[in-house]
Amino acid sequence: MQKFATSTAMLTGTAVLAGCSGSGVDNAAPTAEVDQQRPNIIYIMSDDHAIRALSAYGSDLADLAPTPNIDRIAQNGALFTNSFVTNSLCGPSRAAMFTGKFGHKNGFNFNGQTFDGSQDTWINSLHDAGYNTAAIGKWHINILPDGFKLDHWELLNDQGEYYNPDWITKDGVTMEHGYTTDMITEKTLTWLEEGRDESKPFALIMHHKAPHRNWMPAPRHTRTFENVEFPVPDTYFDNYDGRKAAAAQEMNIYRDAQEGHDLKMTTGVGETEWRQDIWPHLLARLTDEQRQEWDEAYQARNDYMNANEANWSDEEMALWKYQRYMQDYLATIIAVDESVGAVLDYLDENDLTENTILVYTSDQGFYTGEHGWFDKRFMYEESFRTPLLIQYPAKIAAGTVVEEMVQNIDYAPTFLEYAGVELYGDVDGASMVEVIAGESEQWRDALYYHFYEFPAIHQVGRHYGIRDGRYKLMHFYFRTDDWEFYDLEKDPKEMNNAIDDPAYAAEIERLKARLKDLETQYDVPPMEEWRRMNLREHRTPKPKLPELFPQSYGEQGEILNTKS
């Protein structure tokens, strides 16, 4: 078993909340013989992994920044070319994945709300049916797993940090020194090797922080791409003509990314202090040794930038920032790919591969410079689409390609059908089992999407919409009233809003009618409710570790009283 060194320094406090309690009545555990026939499930989800940054999808980055281990899943199983989310935002995406329901039903529409842990989830159903269950890594739904029936859990606090994160368990909070992706991997392998009940099938949720902002690579990968020049999307300098909401956003790499926090730009030649840093406590978490290694990795590149910045045009600086962003973003993915490889190797070495469903996906897509952007949120393809790869050798043929449109609300019914467990009621998603097998004669013809988080960071307006196999229709409705329509066959990069093009009038009316059908099908509340919604009134205050354990932090958030 591959080991990922994670030397620890303990900072332990009382538990944030009581340990998970679980609810409902467990189904009778099946016999050992039946258990051996039921599949294990490992659900691996990263945060903000763009399809362009996964080489199995064959993008222009495939040769420069390959992901060979994640690609193994596609080679061994199925790759989905049209996988989408219901809301391109971290918390809402997780809530939809857990429940199989849209946010207006599961109650989690934007970050800052609290997930209702009393509702049905696929992980609870599997536990009731006799599965050994665990969750390791990022959680990010604003509660501890109360109501979740997990036999084991080790969770990052809130977003988590790339270095020396705080881990929350039922016993309290512990700060551990190490790189977070590696720690998630080691904790996962330890549970698989030592913690699970081998008399039961298992369901493991393995959630990575990476490659979420602020894109801090592992020490071994900080220089991996320092001399690589990545191709620049031809929409990088988009002027957003005809797209008011796109023009109003604040997630542009060369205008809105923080020069310190995001791009690791320093204050001058020979300096190691970052420029503007919106969360300085993250860099403060590094030990002296880690900080020295970090500074040495970036010093020459930052000195070059600082020495030449005054002579560069705005375009030259914008392109430099793009390269820095891509170097770090893609470097964080390398450790995730290594992690997936370690899990795959463990399954192979322990004869678990054949009967284990292993999933790799992201909580949503992400922008890698398209339209000049980082982040997500919009219904445009780069953030709406998400990678999805599933291997299950006992049931899924190697090299399967699934072209039908699926969404993250489909995961819950799929896992439960494969496990032979009855699906709970009021689910919006549908099982993909027949679709994966190529046996489904009828599948959905259109997708519904809804983004709610405005006003908020990045200033992406509230909008909802529909996408079918060729066309997309969106309505931006809060503080504006604008429709957008795209022919994805002729305009795959969504640069031409054709809402006023008379050639598409019939298609637009057809999609508006189909959109109303979907709103009825999914019991979407009247639009006036969303227009009146005040995000501040619906956010749930969440405790921060500095508030819970102030004796361990200084006034600026720096860590005190820790040991190497």
Side-chain angles (χ1 to χ4, degrees):
M1 180 175 68
Q2 182 177 356
K3 293 293 184 181
F4 290 77
T6 54
S7 60
T8 58
M10 301 300 182
L11 170 60
T12 304
T14 56
V16 178
L17 292 173
C20 61
S21 58
S23 60
V25 180
D26 287 355
N27 296 336
T31 66
E33 181 179 354
V34 173
D35 276 353
Q36 291 172 4
Q37 298 172 358
R38 295 194 296 168
N40 306 305
I41 298 174
I42 300 180
Y43 178 82
I44 304 175
M45 187 165 74
S46 56
D47 195 313
D48 294 345
H49 194 164
I51 282 181
R52 185 184 176 215
L54 205 161
S55 54
Y57 284 91
S59 79
D60 58 349
L61 301 176
D63 293 332
L64 295 172
T67 52
N69 291 298
I70 300 174
D71 293 356
R72 288 166 59 187
I73 306 173
Q75 295 159 6
N76 297 337
L79 179 141
F80 292 73
T81 59
N82 286 293
S83 172
F84 297 86
V85 295
T86 59
N87 181 346
S88 185
L89 197 61
C90 300
S93 179
R94 293 162 196 273
M97 175 274 295
F98 275 127
T99 63
K101 304 175 186 178
F102 283 96
H104 61 270
K105 288 186 180 178
N106 66 47
F108 202 113
N109 293 307
F110 46 83
N111 290 337
Q113 289 187 295
T114 295
F115 182 79
D116 176 7
S118 68
Q119 60 189 310
D120 291 319
T121 62
W122 60 266
I123 197 72
N124 281 7
S125 291
L126 291 178
H127 187 277
D128 287 349
Y131 271 71
N132 195 191
T133 56
I136 296 170
K138 189 164 184 175
W139 196 241
H140 198 40
I141 50 176
N142 215 14
I143 60 167
L144 289 187
D146 296 287
F148 282 86
K149 299 176 182 180
L150 296 170
D151 298 306
H152 175 83
W153 51 274
E154 296 177 87
L155 306 176
L156 294 171
N157 178 49
D158 194 36
Q159 291 280 1
E161 297 87 15
Y162 276 105
Y163 284 81
N164 309 332
D166 295 306
W167 286 94
I168 303 176
T169 69
K170 62 183 179 181
D171 297 319
V173 182
T174 302
M175 175 188 171
E176 300 184 22
H177 281 181
Y179 186 66
T180 298
T181 303
D182 296 345
M183 299 168 87
I184 292 170
T185 308
E186 178 67 16
K187 290 175 183 294
T188 294
L189 295 177
T190 298
W191 184 79
L192 288 171
E193 180 71 14
E194 304 172 4
R196 64 186 174 92
D197 183 345
E198 295 188 12
S199 69
K200 298 180 177 181
F202 63 84
L204 169 65
I205 297 166
M206 181 186 186
H207 286 185
H208 283 291
K209 179 214 172 41
H212 191 279
R213 189 184 189 190
N214 66 342
W215 317 299
M216 294 180 73
R220 62 188 179 279
H221 296 309
T222 50
R223 297 182 178 180
T224 299
F225 296 122
E226 65 178 334
N227 296 316
V228 177
E229 183 173 341
F230 293 103
V232 181
D234 56 13
T235 63
Y236 187 60
F237 291 107
D238 191 350
N239 60 15
Y240 314 118
D241 283 348
R243 291 156 288 151
K244 294 180 182 178
Q249 50 66 40
E250 295 179 358
M251 57 189 213
N252 187 283
I253 292 171
Y254 48 89
R255 288 198 298 263
D256 303 313
Q258 297 291 310
E259 291 190 338
H261 173 77
D262 293 327
L263 300 175
K264 292 83 176 178
M265 297 167 66
T266 52
T267 56
V269 175
E271 299 295 330
T272 59
E273 181 183 354
W274 281 358
R275 298 186 185 185
Q276 184 182 11
D277 188 3
I278 53 177
W279 290 302
H281 68 282
L282 299 183
L283 192 59
R285 297 187 77 88
L286 273 64
T287 65
D288 291 343
E289 181 180 357
Q290 290 170 333
R291 182 61 190 269
Q292 180 179 355
E293 187 175 8
W294 180 273
D295 291 341
E296 289 175 354
Y298 284 84
Q299 193 69 56
R301 284 177 284 169
N302 279 334
D303 284 352
Y304 172 80
M305 177 273 302
N306 283 309
N308 290 280
E309 179 181 8
N311 299 318
W312 286 348
S313 66
D314 289 345
E315 180 176 331
E316 288 172 321
M317 176 53 77
L319 292 171
W320 185 93
K321 288 182 175 181
Y322 168 78
Q323 295 297 337
R324 168 55 60 85
Y325 162 62
M326 292 296 286
Q327 288 168 0
D328 286 347
Y329 174 80
L330 293 170
T332 65
I333 291 173
I334 301 174
V336 175
D337 187 69
E338 293 168 342
S339 173
V340 171
V343 175
L344 289 171
D345 289 346
Y346 178 87
L347 296 179
D348 288 345
E349 293 163 4
N350 291 274
D351 296 323
L352 292 168
T353 299
E354 181 73 12
N355 200 42
T356 296
I357 300 168
L358 187 137
V359 179
Y360 182 83
T361 187
S362 173
D363 53 355
Q364 63 262 320
F366 208 66
Y367 293 99
T368 54
E370 300 87 356
H371 307 289
W373 296 337
F374 66 94
D375 209 68
K376 55 262 186 176
R377 290 171 167 77
F378 279 111
M379 195 186 172
Y380 302 127
E381 291 291 282
E382 292 86 358
S383 57
F384 186 25
R385 291 178 69 207
T386 189
L388 177 63
L389 306 91
I390 304 177
Q391 73 171 48
Y392 179 20
K395 297 288 185 180
I396 301 176
T400 296
V401 176
V402 180
E403 297 180 347
E404 284 83 357
M405 295 184 297
V406 303
Q407 279 184 294
N408 52 355
I409 51 174
D410 299 327
Y411 301 172
T414 302
F415 298 156
L416 294 180
E417 180 171 350
Y418 272 135
V421 176
E422 183 178 357
L423 178 64
Y424 44 86
D426 196 27
V427 172
D428 296 314
S431 171
M432 301 182 291
V433 170
E434 290 187 358
V435 170
I436 296 170
E439 299 172 352
S440 177
E441 295 182 1
Q442 292 184 336
W443 188 244
R444 66 169 59 90
D445 65 338
L447 305 171
Y448 178 74
Y449 178 91
H450 202 143
F451 175 81
Y452 305 82
E453 190 172 284
F454 178 86
I457 187 171
H458 300 307
Q459 299 303 312
V460 173
R462 298 181 197 174
H463 62 289
Y464 62 95
I466 181 175
R467 184 200 194 277
D468 66 10
R470 176 171 175 175
Y471 301 108
K472 182 184 296 182
L473 179 72
M474 296 185 285
H475 183 207
F476 292 86
Y477 63 88
F478 185 79
R479 296 188 183 175
T480 183
D481 186 10
D482 297 305
W483 290 83
E484 296 185 11
F485 173 85
Y486 298 95
D487 182 340
L488 298 173
E489 184 177 294
K490 294 184 177 180
D491 181 26
K493 297 176 183 178
E494 297 167 291
M495 297 289 286
N496 177 34
N497 177 15
I499 192 66
D500 296 322
D501 188 338
Y504 289 109
E507 293 294 349
I508 291 170
E509 289 307 309
R510 178 184 65 82
L511 276 190
K512 285 186 176 181
R514 186 72 182 95
L515 178 58
K516 290 185 180 295
D517 291 341
L518 291 181
E519 290 173 335
T520 300
Q521 175 183 341
Y522 295 130
D523 298 319
V524 179
M527 189 49 53
E528 287 307 310
E529 292 190 23
W530 307 124
R531 291 184 190 276
R532 293 193 299 266
M533 182 174 63
N534 184 326
L535 264 67
R536 291 186 178 181
E537 294 176 357
H538 288 80
R539 289 186 185 276
T540 305
K542 56 187 175 185
K544 296 290 187 180
L545 287 185
E547 298 171 4
L548 291 168
F549 309 106
Q551 74 281 2
S552 301
Y553 291 79
E555 293 182 357
Q556 302 302 317
E558 69 272 22
I559 301 171
L560 305 176
N561 302 326
T562 62
K563 298 178 181 180
S564 298

